[in-house]
């Protein structure tokens, strides 16, 4: 697990000199505290006789082959140089095949398998990799730089092409270290951010700077960049499979996925929240271990946000070596750190507990397993069931047409995580809309109507014609012909999962030099889950039925029947107490940066309604405050 950066240029005036390449690399020192290397070639001549320059930078977090496997890495004849961030879990199988084909290996790490596979197959090699990765390969033979990103988007990769130069990096701050790259805000991305709480790929907050989409590779050659998919996620076909066969296949896939992800030459453990997914991953990992697994959970002194009781129960049941961290999270203390590390606006407040958990876990291990992906793959979110009900209810009983139904929106709700009134409001808002619009209603932070009231006229006039919902609609269309819950969950796999969850975990963990591996996101398992009939995953209000059928005997039954809590912090209370001064000193200040886009009176109304307990706007305020602090830090 590491950080990568670099550039290719044709104009000598656009060259990245050694000091600049070093600065780009140092920007991501937290991703790789164990080693740092750079490599440059200022004198390459392409097929047209033009001079090319290339530079690669690398920060290493040593996980496998601690003494070797340094990067940038080159093949035997030095014609291909590579930097690579991530883990290739099937590298040992690939190595045997490559050695059989005559390749000689100089290291015992996983990265060298990529290098030799690329020698043989070129960009077709990426489809052979099972892992999480962001890769950059300089191919001197073909005078090209090739970038690639894993199928699920577990590892980030940003790039920009301007004036015949390509610059790339694991984080935006690498690109921001180069003059003229991150210098103009993309206003459409601000609209997307206030809709989704993240900026969807391939966009970034900066105009002209892009995220390489998951499952894609890019080729920069002859001064031009082309982007291509190497993996197609197709949830449109439902498998004809029995429950028994599905259970057997799930056991095979998930057990193998966990086994592959337990390879490590450094201390190893598992996140254990006490939910279904992390408990099952931990249980399977314990089966593959000949000693008690190290497990980690985080608790808070607010009962609504603390589930360590369940984590303790699972740890005792499995006999793990459990560490429980109880912290008093502080938005005031952690927000500035988040704004620097999440170097574009990122409004998922569960980044706060993820940050604390990563920080504390790294004190004991360097690699941790996580249960991310279970909700998306096996229909675990309550919103899937709500979508199903919202489709059926109006047909049976048109409650949304009853007199006084609109009064639901005027009821005050509380700051408690599971406020019944808040859930009723969100459900009521969605009735009468199309299926994807209804689902968007539950995902979005600010609805279209709220954004229209919030944005000032000048900002509206500069926005592109594209509607942010088009990102969701493109994902929704992939599963045409399937049931609503499948369409929602498979849409999440290509939107919410890579753009929100993977970003949240990667940045929080790598900020502390911690590698997090997610066995649920083995692409073989993702493809399998996409084809399953919804009846095997969910019945009534209960999801993840197939996980229980396949692995239920491994953990206490209570874990499957307990209420889902999610992973959060009491931000509603924070905004009425410890975050209140910060809000008034920044978001409501005369020099508020968001005022270039938003109406100050509309922002003030949101703050007042929340502070006076009229409405719970905590998630909206968190997104606005993060945007304000980001603008102050990065612009």
């Amino acid at each position: 697990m590491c950080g990568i950066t670099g550039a290719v240029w044709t104009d000598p005036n656009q060259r990245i000199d050694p000091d600049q390449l070093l600065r780009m690399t140092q920007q991501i020192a937290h991703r790789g505290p164990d080693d740092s290397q750079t490599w440059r070639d200022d004198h390459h001549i392409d097929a047209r006789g033009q001079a090319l320059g290339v530079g690669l930078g690398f920060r290493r977090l040593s996980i496998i082959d601690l003494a070797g496997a340094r990067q940038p890495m080159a093949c035997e004849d030095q014609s291909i140089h590579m930097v690579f961030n991530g883990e290739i879990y099937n590298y040992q199988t690939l190595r045997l095949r490559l050695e059989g084909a005559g390749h000689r290996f100089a290291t015992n790490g996983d990265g060298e398998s990529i290098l030799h596979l690329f020698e043989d197959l070129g960009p077709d090699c990426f489809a052979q990799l099972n892992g999480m990765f962001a890769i950059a390969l300089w191919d001197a033979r073909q005078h090209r730089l090739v970038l690639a990103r894993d199928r699920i988007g577990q590892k980030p990769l940003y790039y920009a092409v301007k004036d015949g130069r390509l610059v790339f990096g694991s984080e935006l701050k690498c690109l921001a270290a180069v003059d003229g790259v991150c210098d103009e805000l993309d206003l459409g991305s601000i609209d997307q951010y206030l809709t989704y709480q993240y900026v969807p790929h391939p966009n970034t907050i900066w105009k002209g700077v892009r995220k390489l989409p998951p499952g894609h590779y890019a080729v920069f050659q002859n001064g031009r960049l082309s982007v291509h998919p190497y993996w197609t996620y197709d949830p449109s076909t439902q498998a004809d499979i029995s429950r028994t066969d599905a259970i057997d296949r799930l056991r095979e896939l998930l057990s193998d996925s966990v086994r592959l992800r337990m390879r490590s030459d450094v201390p190893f453990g598992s996140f254990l929240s006490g939910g279904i997914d992390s408990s099952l991953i931990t249980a399977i990992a314990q089966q593959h271990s000949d000693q008690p697994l190290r497990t980690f959970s985080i608790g808070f002194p607010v009962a609504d946000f603390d589930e360590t009781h369940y984590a303790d129960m699972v740890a005792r049941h499995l006999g793990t070596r459990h560490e429980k961290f109880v912290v008093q999270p502080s938005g005031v203390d952690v927000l500035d750190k988040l704004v620097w590390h999440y170097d574009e606006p990122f409004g998922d407040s569960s980044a706060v507990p993820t940050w604390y958990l990563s920080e504390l876990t790294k004190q004991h291990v360097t690699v941790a397993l996580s249960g991310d992906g279970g909700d998306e793959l096996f229909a675990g979110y309550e919103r899937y069931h709500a979508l199903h009900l919202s489709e059926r209810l109006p047909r049976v009983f048109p409650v949304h047409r009853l007199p006084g139904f609109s009064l639901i929106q005027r009821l005050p709700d509380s700051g408690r995580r599971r406020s019944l009134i808040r859930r009723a409001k969100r459900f009521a808002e969605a009735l009468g809309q199309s299926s994807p619009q209804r689902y968007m209603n539950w995902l979005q932070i600010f609805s279209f109507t709220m954004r229209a009231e919030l944005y000032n006229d000048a900002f509206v006039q500069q926005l592109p014609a594209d509607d942010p919902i088009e990102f969701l609609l493109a994902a929704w269309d992939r599963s045409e012909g399937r049931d609503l819950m499948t369409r929602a969950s498979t849409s999440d796999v290509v939107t919410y999962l890579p753009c929100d969850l993977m970003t949240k975990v990667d940045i929080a963990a790598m900020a502390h030099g911690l590698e997090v591996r997610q066995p649920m996101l083995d692409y073989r398992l993702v493809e399998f889950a996409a084809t399953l009939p919804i009846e095997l995953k969910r019945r009534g209000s209960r999801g993840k039925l197939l996980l229980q059928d396949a692995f239920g005997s491994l953990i206490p039954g209570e874990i499957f029947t307990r209420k889902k809590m999610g992973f959060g912090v009491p931000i509603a209370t924070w905004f009425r107490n410890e975050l209140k001064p910060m809000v008034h000193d920044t978001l409501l200040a005369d020099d508020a940066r968001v005022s270039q886009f938003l109406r100050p009176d509309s922002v003030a109304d949101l703050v007042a309604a929340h502070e006076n307990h009229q409405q719970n706007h905590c998630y909206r305020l968190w997104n606005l405050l993060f945007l304000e602090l980001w603008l102050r830090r990065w612009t």
Side-chain angles (χ1 to χ4, degrees):
M1 192 64 65
C2 311
I4 64 173
T5 190
V8 177
W9 59 92
T10 55
D11 184 348
N13 295 320
Q14 295 289 316
R15 69 191 290 268
I16 301 294
D17 63 35
D19 289 340
Q20 194 168 29
L21 181 60
L22 182 60
R23 286 196 299 273
M24 294 167 64
T25 306
Q26 288 174 334
Q27 287 293 305
I28 49 173
H30 51 277
R31 298 186 71 93
D34 297 329
D35 191 22
S36 177
Q37 296 288 323
T38 61
W39 172 85
R40 294 174 73 259
D41 181 359
D42 256 334
H43 307 292
H44 182 79
I45 304 298
D46 70 12
R48 299 175 299 174
Q50 291 186 324
L52 280 176
V54 58
L56 303 176
F58 181 72
R59 294 291 313 205
R60 185 183 186 195
L61 176 64
S62 301
I63 302 294
I64 296 174
D65 190 10
L66 305 186
R70 301 186 76 189
Q71 298 183 39
M73 181 180 294
C75 63
E76 294 97 328
D77 64 2
Q78 302 293 302
S79 63
I80 301 173
H81 285 74
M82 179 190 75
V83 285
F84 148 64
N85 166 33
E87 299 287 347
I88 305 302
Y89 302 118
N90 64 333
Y91 80 96
Q92 291 177 326
T93 300
L94 293 174
R95 179 174 182 139
L96 289 174
R97 195 171 85 200
L98 290 162
E99 287 176 331
H103 288 282
R104 293 178 298 171
F105 280 72
T107 75
N108 293 315
D110 55 335
E112 195 174 358
S113 293
I114 305 171
L115 196 60
H116 295 311
L117 202 61
F118 184 82
E119 285 186 90
D120 290 352
L121 301 177
D124 289 342
C125 75
F126 304 124
Q128 305 290 318
L129 305 178
N130 183 350
M132 54 180 181
F133 53 83
I135 303 169
L137 291 138
W138 168 246
D139 183 356
R141 302 170 306 180
Q142 299 294 325
H143 321 290
R144 62 183 178 176
L145 182 79
V146 180
L147 304 175
R149 191 176 178 202
D150 67 73
R151 296 167 177 84
I152 314 299
Q154 293 168 271
K155 294 290 104 186
L157 189 54
Y158 301 88
Y159 68 89
V161 178
K162 187 176 182 180
D163 298 328
R165 180 178 66 186
L166 179 143
V167 183
F168 70 90
S170 292
E171 297 183 11
L172 278 173
K173 53 181 66 67
C174 299
L175 281 66
V178 180
D179 291 340
V181 176
C182 299
D183 58 357
E184 183 179 358
L185 293 173
D186 188 318
L187 300 187
S189 293
I190 293 176
D191 188 31
Q192 291 180 314
Y193 165 72
L194 292 173
T195 302
Y196 289 103
Q197 75 183 4
Y198 56 78
V199 179
H201 58 256
N203 298 329
T204 74
I205 193 64
W206 298 109
K207 185 172 291 187
V209 181
R210 311 286 275 180
K211 301 181 184 86
L212 186 63
H216 284 67
Y217 71 90
V219 179
F220 184 71
Q221 192 172 30
N222 299 326
R224 296 181 179 179
L225 185 89
S226 57
V227 179
H228 314 271
Y230 68 85
W231 182 60
T232 301
Y233 177 69
D234 182 10
S236 63
T237 302
Q238 179 171 299
D240 182 12
I241 188 171
S242 69
R243 180 174 294 273
T244 299
D245 289 344
I247 290 170
D248 290 342
R249 183 60 174 155
L250 176 57
R251 285 174 177 162
E252 175 188 349
L253 287 173
L254 189 53
S255 295
D256 187 57
S257 177
V258 172
R259 179 188 62 79
L260 287 174
R261 284 156 180 80
M262 292 182 70
R263 173 79 170 88
S264 174
D265 295 335
V266 294
F268 180 93
S270 182
F271 290 159
L272 179 57
S273 69
I276 294 172
D277 304 326
S278 68
S279 298
L280 289 181
I281 293 301
T282 302
I284 297 168
Q286 186 59 75
Q287 287 187 322
H288 288 292
S289 178
D290 57 3
Q291 58 187 344
L293 191 68
R294 301 203 66 171
T295 54
F296 306 92
S297 64
I298 191 166
F300 307 112
V302 180
D304 274 359
F305 298 87
D306 187 271
E307 51 185 342
T308 54
H309 162 71
Y310 295 104
D312 290 342
M313 177 193 304
V314 175
R316 287 193 301 270
H317 182 83
L318 297 176
T320 68
R321 184 180 167 192
H322 191 56
E323 299 278 354
K324 177 172 65 176
F325 313 116
V326 178
V327 300
Q328 179 71 58
S330 169
V332 174
D333 293 341
V334 79
L335 254 172
D336 284 342
K337 297 175 184 177
L338 297 181
V339 167
W340 190 83
H341 280 280
Y342 290 87
D343 39 20
E344 69 177 351
F346 184 74
D348 187 341
S349 60
S350 66
V352 174
T354 306
W355 175 275
Y356 282 109
L357 178 59
S358 298
E359 180 180 46
L360 294 166
T361 298
K362 180 54 196 286
Q363 296 175 10
H364 302 272
V365 299
T366 305
V367 178
L369 296 178
S370 171
D372 294 314
D375 286 303
E376 292 78 12
L377 299 188
F378 296 100
Y381 290 128
E382 292 180 355
R383 61 179 182 251
Y384 301 150
H385 183 56
L387 181 65
H388 174 70
L389 288 179
S390 68
E391 177 83 359
R392 297 189 61 187
L393 184 60
R395 299 175 184 174
V396 179
F397 182 59
V399 62
H400 59 295
R401 296 178 182 172
L402 293 177
F405 181 77
S406 61
L407 295 177
I408 291 177
Q409 298 300 333
R410 303 181 187 178
L411 295 173
D413 57 33
S414 73
R416 292 179 63 87
R417 174 194 293 267
R418 298 206 159 270
S419 166
L420 181 62
I421 293 175
R422 190 191 325 160
R423 294 166 71 185
K425 287 180 180 181
R426 290 172 65 83
F427 187 81
E429 287 173 349
L431 294 178
Q433 298 175 332
S434 69
S435 297
Q437 286 175 325
R438 263 182 287 135
Y439 194 57
M440 184 70 174
N441 184 277
W442 292 317
L443 295 177
Q444 63 193 351
I445 303 301
F446 288 92
S447 67
F448 176 83
T449 301
M450 294 189 75
R451 299 199 310 276
E453 295 173 351
L454 188 64
Y455 295 169
N456 63 41
D457 292 342
F459 181 49
V460 171
Q461 291 174 3
Q462 296 177 78
L463 286 176
D466 298 339
D467 190 318
I469 196 176
E470 292 177 11
F471 179 64
L472 175 66
L473 292 177
W476 194 271
D477 288 345
R478 294 190 185 206
S479 57
E480 186 174 3
R482 302 292 297 277
D483 62 275
L484 279 183
M485 287 192 280
T486 294
R487 301 198 76 173
S489 63
T490 55
S491 295
D492 280 347
V493 170
V494 292
T495 58
Y496 177 68
L497 188 61
C499 296
D500 190 307
L501 295 188
M502 296 300 95
T503 300
K504 175 185 69 178
V505 172
D506 174 80
I507 296 296
M510 293 309 298
H512 299 99
L514 176 72
E515 174 171 307
V516 176
R517 301 176 178 177
Q518 294 128 327
M520 292 278 190
L521 298 181
D522 187 301
Y523 79 94
R524 300 169 300 168
L525 186 58
V526 172
E527 291 174 342
F528 167 71
T531 68
L532 291 173
I534 191 62
E535 294 79 14
L536 297 182
K537 300 180 182 181
R538 191 170 191 104
R539 184 167 52 252
S541 61
R542 287 192 57 202
K544 304 183 184 177
L545 295 180
L546 195 64
L547 285 174
Q548 183 173 7
D549 291 342
F551 298 103
S553 61
L554 299 183
I555 61 175
E558 186 176 348
I559 299 302
F560 289 98
T561 57
R562 54 163 292 204
K563 289 185 177 180
K564 184 175 178 61
M565 289 185 67
F567 198 43
V569 285
I571 59 173
T573 302
W574 287 358
F575 278 113
R576 297 182 181 117
N577 296 283
E578 54 261 54
L579 282 179
K580 185 174 180 178
M582 181 185 288
V583 169
H584 285 258
D585 291 343
T586 59
L587 200 54
L588 299 184
D590 292 339
D591 64 344
R593 299 291 182 90
V594 295
S595 295
Q596 59 190 302
F597 315 116
L598 313 180
R599 300 176 187 270
D601 55 341
S602 296
V603 176
D605 287 345
L606 283 173
V607 173
H610 184 83
E611 292 178 352
N612 296 331
H613 295 265
Q614 294 173 325
Q615 295 287 329
N616 183 5
H617 290 304
C618 64
Y619 297 114
R620 298 182 182 106
L621 293 181
W622 183 267
N623 278 256
L624 292 179
L625 180 59
F626 202 106
L627 177 60
E628 173 66 25
L629 296 177
W630 185 90
L631 290 167
R632 288 173 181 259
R633 173 62 181 80
W634 290 101
T635 63

